[in-house]
Amino acid sequence: PADDPARYVRYTSCGNVRLFQPFAGNETPPADFLETLRAQLSLCRVCVQVASTMFLDAAACNTPVISIAYDARDDVPYAHSVRRYYDYSHHLPPHAFLQASVVRKRQELFGKLDEILETHAATSTLRNAIAPLVHHSGPDSVSATAQHIREWLG
């Protein structure tokens, strides 16, 4: 959400790629952001993400996830590499459950995409994998959370 949408303009001509900038330029998401996110993740065939807890949202929607853990160039020092983000303490437990979704090379990414898109593989155990980490682990949790917030706000 915080990325500059102009960085992705070159991909808008791809017929099978959809880009969504829910609140680009704003630090505060709109009130319906969680519902929009749930709808997107429920409809998409695969969620490709980089060092984000987005994989937990995708898992709650039972959407296959690919976590990119490599840099565009091989010579990027660890201190500046995307790899370091996967070593943060809040990433270690979930990724221990989801190691099969982490790709460490570009070739692995394309292989994993082919595997998921060709077989229509829905990772049926994905929700079970995140259950120890996430209290509400289903798409309906977004609606329930929004409802409780509305009730609390009166």
Side-chain angles (χ1 to χ4, degrees):
D3 284 351
D4 178 3
R7 295 176 63 188
Y8 303 97
V9 169
R10 65 183 171 177
Y11 300 107
T12 57
S13 62
C14 298
N16 60 349
V17 174
R18 301 292 180 265
L19 301 173
F20 181 71
Q21 293 288 328
F23 49 101
N26 297 321
E27 292 192 23
T28 306
D32 67 345
F33 171 67
L34 290 177
E35 281 297 331
T36 303
L37 178 62
R38 182 206 52 80
Q40 285 180 300
L41 288 172
S42 295
L43 292 173
C44 74
R45 298 267 306 276
V46 62
C47 172
V48 178
Q49 59 89 34
V50 179
S52 168
T53 54
M54 178 63 68
F55 73 92
L56 294 171
D57 300 294
C61 294
N62 213 32
T63 298
V65 178
I66 298 174
S67 299
I68 295 176
Y70 65 88
D71 298 290
R73 295 184 336 269
D74 292 333
D75 61 346
V76 177
Y78 179 81
H80 300 284
S81 171
V82 72
R83 297 181 318 265
R84 76 185 188 281
Y85 295 122
Y86 287 90
D87 291 339
Y88 287 164
S89 60
H90 71 284
H91 273 280
L92 294 176
H95 279 294
F97 288 105
L98 302 171
Q99 275 303 310
S101 75
V102 180
V103 294
R104 301 193 188 310
K105 297 178 182 169
R106 185 179 183 157
Q107 295 78 9
E108 289 179 22
L109 170 61
F110 291 109
K112 184 61 74 174
L113 279 169
D114 287 344
E115 174 188 325
I116 291 171
L117 296 175
E118 288 175 6
T119 63
H120 302 280
T123 330
S124 59
T125 60
L126 205 50
R127 275 197 214 145
N128 294 338
I130 66 162
L133 308 164
V134 179
H135 178 64
H136 295 289
S137 57
D140 60 334
S141 62
V142 172
S143 302
T145 300
Q147 177 185 344
H148 292 305
I149 291 171
R150 280 192 293 275
E151 289 172 4
W152 180 71
L153 291 174

